[in-house]
Amino acid sequence: MNEDINRKRLNDLEDNIRQDLDMLKEYEDKERYETDPRHKAKYRQEIKRQHESLTHNQEEYDELRRQMTPEELQNVTDLLQQKNAKLDKIQKLLPPIWNIPQHQNPNFTGRKGILAGLRLALTSGEPAAWKQAITGMGGVGKTQLTVEYIYRHKADYRVIWWVRSEESATIAADYASLAVDLNLPEKDFEDQTEIAKAVKRWLEHNPDWLLIFDNAQDPSGIRNYLPQGGAGHVIITSRNPLWGSVAKLLPAPIFDRAESIEFLCKRTGQEDKKAADALADELGDLPLALEQAGAYIETT
Ligand SMILES: Nc1ncnc2c1ncn2[C@@H]1O[C@H](COP(=O)(O)OP(=O)(O)OP(=O)(O)O)[C@@H](O)[C@H]1O
Ligand SMILES: [Mg+2]
């Protein structure tokens, strides 16, 4: 009797996984050619559902394993592996939800320690370290550091969203467009505050996202948008050094001299280190000023 029940459960499990595999194969083909962000968001939700169903399959399988032999389970073992592999493959096909306006800077120079520190802090699991505020004067390279971080670690995130934070209107607009790309039910609401709340809730309940508040003025300007917690990371860039109440501080200094020289030589294609040293000295090792000088030298 018990054996019959187990056999039936095994058959059901097999059928179940087979059906999911067929569906996943269909997705795989469709996803390849999908460009509409709303459809992509739908696939993402389906994939999430499939992950949940995989967990259920796994639980059922574990129970059956206690009562049946490996030989009897061989088929379903193979099928489970296939489903796992297919889900992985499909997930990789789907590009992250992403609105990064800048390209990676081919002349990006130095900053090894800061980038390593930023990564370490964000992934440390320490309370509040998942929010980092890069602070420093205009032109010192806060935004550049963030862009470089994004390109180095983009494979680790499913959502990377840039929020233009100098004004409250652009913050609200960028949150509203994230609601569209996430395909949240609230995306068409009239009231942007409600949309922002929905995005915030999503962030608080989902992993693997990176949010950038670029050029934020002060904590009060972004407080209503910052998720309370969750399994994601936040980078704030700001000229204002006073972020201790909402994030860990990561001050960005000017280039050290070696970085200035390396940058100038790379930027201008010239190798005269003495001249580069003198110029860097004159420009106070400020990356923005060095970039402008480099651009000028390149054209003359
Ligand atoms: N590490 C770097 N390597 C190469 N170029 C850099 C680097 N950092 C900054 N720059 C150059 O300096 C310019 C200014 O940097 P960035 O825009 O990041 O400054 P910022 O600190 O964000 O300034 P602001 O406060 O005005 O936003 C960049 O456009 C780039 O040309
Ligand atoms: Mg900036």
Side-chain angles (χ1 to χ4, degrees):
M1 178 62 190
N2 225 351
E3 265 175 34
D4 282 351
I5 294 175
N6 282 343
R7 186 140 302 284
K8 165 121 185 31
R9 281 174 71 178
L10 183 66
N11 284 341
D12 286 350
L13 181 58
E14 274 190 39
D15 284 350
N16 207 316
I17 300 176
R18 276 217 176 80
Q19 278 171 18
D20 284 348
L21 266 172
D22 285 345
M23 194 155 70
L24 285 170
K25 279 181 194 143
E26 219 174 280
Y27 284 169
E28 192 179 355
D29 293 335
K30 284 192 190 147
E31 259 183 47
R32 249 181 243 286
Y33 304 106
E34 189 54 73
T35 50
D36 184 335
R38 287 176 197 232
H39 288 160
K40 277 194 186 146
K42 205 186 86 203
Y43 284 128
R44 239 174 230 112
Q45 277 164 3
E46 285 300 337
I47 288 172
K48 198 172 158 206
R49 257 196 287 280
Q50 285 290 332
H51 269 295
E52 285 160 11
S53 113
L54 185 67
T55 312
H56 289 141
N57 295 157
Q58 190 73 49
E59 285 164 4
E60 176 73 352
Y61 175 76
D62 287 343
E63 271 192 33
L64 288 172
R65 219 162 42 168
R66 283 190 220 114
Q67 304 168 54
M68 299 177 88
T69 66
E71 288 73 32
E72 287 173 307
L73 290 170
Q74 191 56 52
N75 255 347
V76 82
T77 309
D78 293 345
L79 282 169
L80 258 182
Q81 265 167 11
Q82 280 178 41
K83 183 167 171 185
N84 214 339
K86 187 58 90 191
L87 255 175
D88 250 17
K89 197 167 161 212
I90 289 189
Q91 190 137 31
K92 290 200 178 101
L93 270 183
L94 213 57
I97 293 183
W98 156 285
N99 75 336
I100 303 310
Q102 295 92 340
H103 294 286
Q104 194 166 17
N105 179 357
N107 295 314
F108 184 85
T109 305
R111 306 305 206 179
K112 281 207 177 73
I114 300 184
L115 281 168
L118 179 60
R119 178 68 184 165
L120 202 66
L122 285 173
T123 54
S124 68
E126 273 170 41
W130 56 280
K131 293 175 284 181
Q132 294 284 315
I134 306 178
T135 61
M137 70 172 114
V140 82
K142 305 176 292 294
T143 299
Q144 279 291 304
L145 267 167
T146 307
V147 171
E148 186 63 21
Y149 175 87
I150 290 170
Y151 281 97
R152 288 192 192 185
H153 299 288
K154 63 180 198 288
D156 294 329
Y157 297 100
R158 302 302 305 158
V159 176
I160 304 182
W161 208 254
W162 193 270
V163 183
R164 296 160 298 159
S165 307
E166 54 285 359
E167 289 168 28
S168 58
T170 50
I171 305 179
D174 288 345
Y175 259 65
S177 62
L178 178 53
V180 173
D181 272 31
L182 291 172
N183 201 23
L184 299 184
E186 296 85 352
K187 63 182 186 293
D188 300 318
F189 280 15
E190 287 281 322
D191 184 354
Q192 283 201 320
T193 321
E194 287 304 314
I195 302 179
K197 271 193 202 153
V199 170
K200 204 167 143 233
R201 257 197 314 274
W202 187 93
L203 294 167
E204 284 161 355
H205 291 101
N206 286 278
D208 303 333
W209 48 264
L210 170 64
L211 208 56
I212 299 105
F213 291 96
D214 185 47
N215 211 3
Q217 306 293 329
D218 52 43
S220 66
I222 65 166
R223 192 164 268 132
N224 289 339
Y225 294 91
L226 263 181
Q228 299 288 318
H233 298 157
V234 171
I235 299 177
I236 298 159
T237 85
S238 181
R239 294 181 187 178
N240 176 0
L242 304 175
W243 286 89
S245 63
V246 294
K248 290 263 182 217
L249 300 179
L250 187 66
I254 52 173
F255 274 161
D256 64 31
R257 187 53 53 84
E259 285 173 326
S260 294
I261 294 172
E262 187 190 337
F263 170 75
L264 277 173
C265 291
K266 203 181 329 184
R267 183 71 180 80
T268 61
Q270 297 180 5
E271 279 163 27
D272 186 344
K273 291 198 172 144
K274 266 213 173 106
D277 190 345
L279 184 56
D281 198 47
E282 205 171 307
L283 298 173
D285 295 294
L286 184 71
L288 176 65
L290 293 165
E291 162 62 29
Q292 286 164 349
Y296 178 74
I297 293 167
E298 195 190 25
T299 57
T300 52

